Amino acid sequence: MATNQECANVFSQIADLLEITGANGFKVNAYRKAARSCENESRDLGQLARESPTELRKVEGIGESTAAKIVELETIGKVAELEALRSKVPPGLPVLLTLQGVGPKSVKLLWDSAKVTNIDDLRAAIASGALLTVERMGEKTIANLRDAVAAHDAAGAGPVRYRLGEAIPVAESMLKILRAAHGTVRVAFAGSARRGRETVGDLDLLVSSEDPAAAKAAFLNCAGIGKVLAQGDTKCAVQLATGIQVDLRIVKDNAFGAALMYFTGSVDHNIFLRERAIARGMRLNEYGLFRVPKENSEGADLSLVAAETEESIYRALELPYCPPELREMHCSDLTKPSPTLIELADIKAELHSHTTASDGDMSIIELASLAKARGFHTVAVTDHSRASAQANGLSVERLLKHIDAIREAEAKLGGIRILAGSEVDIMADGRLDYEDDVLAKLDVVVASPHTALKQAPQAATDRLLRAIRHPLVHILGHPTGRIIQGREGLAPDMELLCRTAKECGTAMEINCHWSRLDLRDQHVRIAVASGCMIAIDCDIHSLGDADNLRYGIATARRGGLTAAGCVNTLSAANLHEWLFSKRSSLRS
Ligand code: DGT
Ligand code: CA
Ligand code: CA
Ligand code: ZN
């Protein structure tokens, strides 16, 4: 079964390849639009393709030919046009698109004008100076290409990893099929995905069933399977056409907890548990926790101590339950109870979002209705500031009008506080993109770095400290500006930043988009230790972005965050008081 993200990937790959091969822009744009529609669609497109293909065509941005391709992907696991386009370009060429800052236009230029067909060609062309003779290719562009190739080489040709937001929807759609199979009792995903790591090497699914053959058949019949790697009675593995590998274990329900614990890992956590079991005269494996008979007499059986739930096994090992996100090596003292980690349901406000005024897809009313439907008491509209010209950032005049529009929308919609805010750019030297008198008119200010993201660590620290200390700034947005598998971003002194944030009452953001997760898990741990406040925000641009909250929550939990440490969990009164207090401290 194709996920919406997979459909989107197919269309954006088609668009890229069309652009590289010089197809007309109209066609390219149609595929880009289709890709965005797939990402934003809340219904399951794969299921629509199976059940009512005519409904597919009614999806905004999906036409007759794109609908047919979704059906193709769903039924045979690949799309002929994509395969045909791939065969038109040298096989090493699309890899260039994975380089930071390299889009289809540059790839086309490199191919047409410098005969570059893969990364090795590019490396050689940079080294020999051949690129300097290419028109529209300045020294700065070439220097950027050199950095991008170096970053690619540094990442190594290691095993591919998938970002959490690309992997989890795949896991869930397969679990849905397993859940529906005859005899299924419990299903879960395990492995690094359950631990909430920002990338996963493969997916690990678990099912307990009274009819293992049916579970196996359901799994192997999933659409989108490229290759079956193993098909035993309790253990199957497949590689999907999209490349990701999925392992499945089929177990008895009375051992589900032991299997879940084992396959959730991490390996380090498993080793710790196993050694603890041995020290207590027990054995722990994927089938359960067993007591070893005292006299290890011939033929004496191991007796089962616990296996049905993870909780029962931790208890038998005299350990408090450990949430999956903390089952990593660094999470030191497992004999102490874990803090009660923040949960999705604790979030009551979204404080970072965009509308059509800058680069969002929704009107103020649409955005606020979405937040209201989620049960939030507050949503902040924080469109981009003027320096973000590519994102249609607001001039001061436009911002002032926007504030009025926000007030009107709030009065019209009712039932939710709509705050007037801005995501204001932090310039390279730490100045903000609007003057203080403009910022003072806003209810909430998110300050974020968007440019100069290759700054040296000391400069980045100074820059961000200046923003944190600014009395009108509430939240430091995506503090490092990193993109997972895309760009490193800033490397400031995070401890100093968090300590200062604590002193100034400024919150550090966890940006929930799965390509950002910024702050990342380690940074959250630093922030929690420093006691500064944390904001967990979806940076909503489109309808689907609100669903990324779970990835931000996973990251927060990996950092040990409790609900009390997060501003988005505050009651409306307390949240508004904090926002307002920054301004009153300025006046006093
Ligand atoms: P990944 O897939 O690289 O993102 O990371 P994981 O943690 O999902 O690793 P994976 O898929 O190789 O294995 C899933 C879990 O199974 C792992 O977290 C712990 C358990 N496991 C796998 N191999 C071993 C092992 O050799 N020893 C122990 N104790 N546990 C293992
Ligand atoms: Ca895995
Ligand atoms: Ca695995
Ligand atoms: Zn934003």
Side-chain angles (χ1 to χ4, degrees):
M1 54 318 52
T3 64
N4 290 6
Q5 187 61 49
E6 287 172 317
C7 298
N9 291 348
V10 164
F11 292 136
S12 51
Q13 284 174 40
I14 291 180
D16 287 342
L17 289 168
L18 284 171
E19 205 165 345
I20 291 171
T21 51
N24 88 35
F26 183 73
K27 204 169 165 193
V28 173
N29 286 337
Y31 279 109
R32 296 236 184 272
K33 184 160 184 222
R36 282 197 302 277
S37 303
C38 294
E39 273 183 32
N40 294 335
E41 181 55 47
S42 52
R43 283 169 298 175
D44 183 344
L45 294 171
Q47 192 180 347
L48 269 188
R50 271 193 317 277
E51 292 168 10
S52 54
T54 49
E55 279 299 309
L56 263 185
R57 250 174 288 154
K58 294 184 193 152
V59 175
E60 161 78 4
I62 300 295
E64 188 154 355
S65 103
T66 39
K69 290 187 178 62
I70 296 175
V71 174
E72 244 187 306
L73 183 65
E74 175 64 25
T75 49
I76 54 177
K78 54 187 181 183
V79 174
E81 174 158 13
L82 178 57
E83 305 296 318
L85 279 166
R86 278 197 187 126
S87 70
K88 276 199 211 166
V89 304
L93 203 61
V95 178
L96 297 181
L97 289 167
T98 65
L99 295 174
Q100 181 182 333
V102 177
K105 285 202 181 58
S106 330
V107 173
K108 179 168 165 49
L109 182 65
L110 287 167
W111 189 26
D112 290 350
S113 313
K115 308 264 174 299
V116 167
T117 62
N118 55 46
I119 293 214
D120 290 338
D121 288 354
L122 178 59
R123 206 179 281 111
I126 294 168
S128 71
L131 289 187
L132 283 167
T133 65
V134 174
E135 241 183 284
R136 288 186 285 148
M137 190 69 65
E139 278 185 35
K140 182 141 186 272
T141 312
I142 296 172
N144 285 341
L145 282 173
R146 185 182 297 119
D147 287 352
V149 171
H152 175 272
D153 291 350
V160 186
R161 299 188 64 85
Y162 298 83
R163 290 174 292 184
L164 195 56
E166 299 170 302
I168 293 255
V170 176
E172 296 211 313
S173 61
M174 294 183 93
L175 288 187
K176 201 164 134 195
I177 287 171
L178 286 168
R179 205 174 281 127
H182 179 254
T184 294
V185 186
R186 281 187 275 179
V187 300
F189 59 83
S192 49
R194 181 160 180 249
R195 303 199 309 279
R197 276 195 63 182
E198 63 191 37
T199 62
V200 308
D202 69 5
L203 287 170
D204 305 282
L205 307 186
L206 197 61
V207 57
S208 64
S209 174
E210 279 155 13
D211 185 354
K216 173 180 170 180
F219 180 69
L220 295 174
N221 278 332
C222 285
I225 292 178
K227 207 167 22 172
V228 175
L229 305 170
Q231 43 180 326
D233 290 337
T234 59
K235 197 168 153 182
C236 298
V238 298
Q239 182 170 38
L240 301 183
T242 50
I244 191 162
Q245 187 181 318
V246 188
D247 294 344
L248 173 72
R249 294 296 176 125
I250 307 169
V251 301
K252 291 208 172 66
D253 193 59
N254 58 16
F256 188 82
L260 182 60
M261 181 178 234
Y262 182 86
F263 293 109
T264 296
S266 63
V267 172
D268 294 304
H269 189 74
N270 288 355
I271 290 170
F272 168 83
L273 296 176
R274 193 167 44 195
E275 284 173 355
R276 192 169 172 94
I278 290 169
R280 281 166 173 65
M282 294 187 274
R283 290 272 160 75
L284 177 65
N285 59 33
E286 61 203 270
Y287 304 104
L289 180 66
F290 302 89
R291 180 157 301 282
V292 183
K294 283 230 165 53
E295 305 289 311
N296 209 350
S297 51
E298 202 75 17
D301 278 343
L302 296 172
S303 62
L304 181 68
V305 177
E308 198 159 336
T309 64
E310 288 186 324
E311 286 80 356
S312 67
I313 300 172
Y314 279 111
R315 218 178 299 125
L317 289 171
E318 295 170 277
L319 287 171
Y321 178 77
C322 181
E325 294 88 347
L326 295 181
R327 298 183 197 173
E328 302 283 354
M329 181 164 50
H330 52 258
C331 298
S332 42
D333 196 354
L334 296 165
T335 60
K336 295 218 179 76
S338 308
T340 305
L341 300 180
I342 189 165
E343 291 173 16
L344 202 76
D346 295 324
I347 300 293
K348 301 281 184 259
E350 168 66 42
L351 299 173
H352 181 171
S353 51
H354 301 267
T355 68
T356 48
S358 62
D359 60 348
D361 285 348
M362 290 183 282
S363 67
I364 302 168
I365 291 279
E366 285 168 335
L367 171 70
S369 306
L370 170 68
K372 196 173 154 181
R374 300 216 154 217
F376 290 175
H377 57 62
T378 298
V379 61
V381 177
T382 58
D383 278 300
H384 286 285
S385 65
R386 56 193 171 184
S388 281
Q390 76 295 338
N392 193 22
L394 277 63
S395 65
V396 172
E397 292 68 32
R398 286 183 61 216
L399 177 63
L400 297 179
K401 284 203 189 112
H402 199 39
I403 296 176
D404 290 339
I406 291 165
R407 305 287 180 233
E408 271 172 41
E410 180 178 41
K412 189 169 155 200
L413 186 64
I416 184 164
R417 283 300 315 271
I418 311 180
L419 302 180
S422 171
E423 180 182 17
V424 59
D425 270 49
I426 307 172
M427 309 316 225
D429 62 1
R431 274 179 309 119
L432 300 182
D433 188 25
Y434 292 128
E435 303 299 334
D436 289 359
D437 61 331
V438 176
L439 295 177
K441 295 189 197 314
L442 298 167
D443 305 321
V444 53
V445 174
V446 178
S448 311
H450 287 109
T451 52
L453 296 172
K454 290 185 185 171
Q455 222 166 21
Q458 184 60 53
T461 304
D462 294 343
R463 174 193 195 179
L464 297 176
L465 278 178
R466 201 168 158 186
I468 290 171
R469 289 198 180 111
H470 193 295
L472 292 166
V473 168
H474 295 103
I475 298 172
L476 188 69
H478 48 70
T480 75
R482 69 132 175 196
I483 298 292
I484 300 173
Q485 297 177 346
R487 80 179 165 229
E488 297 254 338
L490 303 171
D493 179 341
M494 201 49 85
E495 281 177 30
L496 180 55
L497 257 51
C498 291
R499 229 179 309 136
T500 311
K502 156 105 178 145
E503 282 163 23
C504 301
T506 306
M508 302 285 281
E509 179 183 82
I510 298 174
N511 191 292
C512 297
H513 198 284
W514 45 265
S515 70
R516 288 194 184 269
L517 296 177
D518 177 15
L519 303 177
R520 59 169 307 171
D521 47 7
Q522 287 103 310
H523 295 153
V524 177
R525 213 167 299 128
I526 294 172
V528 167
S530 79
C532 74
M533 290 185 290
I534 287 181
I536 302 182
D537 284 314
C538 289
D539 196 353
I540 297 176
H541 286 78
S542 320
L543 192 60
D545 290 345
D547 295 330
N548 291 331
L549 188 56
R550 60 187 300 182
Y551 309 122
I553 293 287
T555 303
R557 290 170 62 89
R558 287 177 65 80
L561 186 68
T562 61
C566 173
V567 293
N568 307 68
T569 69
L570 295 173
S571 68
N574 288 346
L575 175 66
H576 301 147
E577 188 187 301
W578 166 59
L579 294 171
F580 188 73
S581 69
K582 281 236 162 191
R583 274 144 183 70
S584 32
S585 68
L586 188 66
R587 276 183 217 116
S588 61

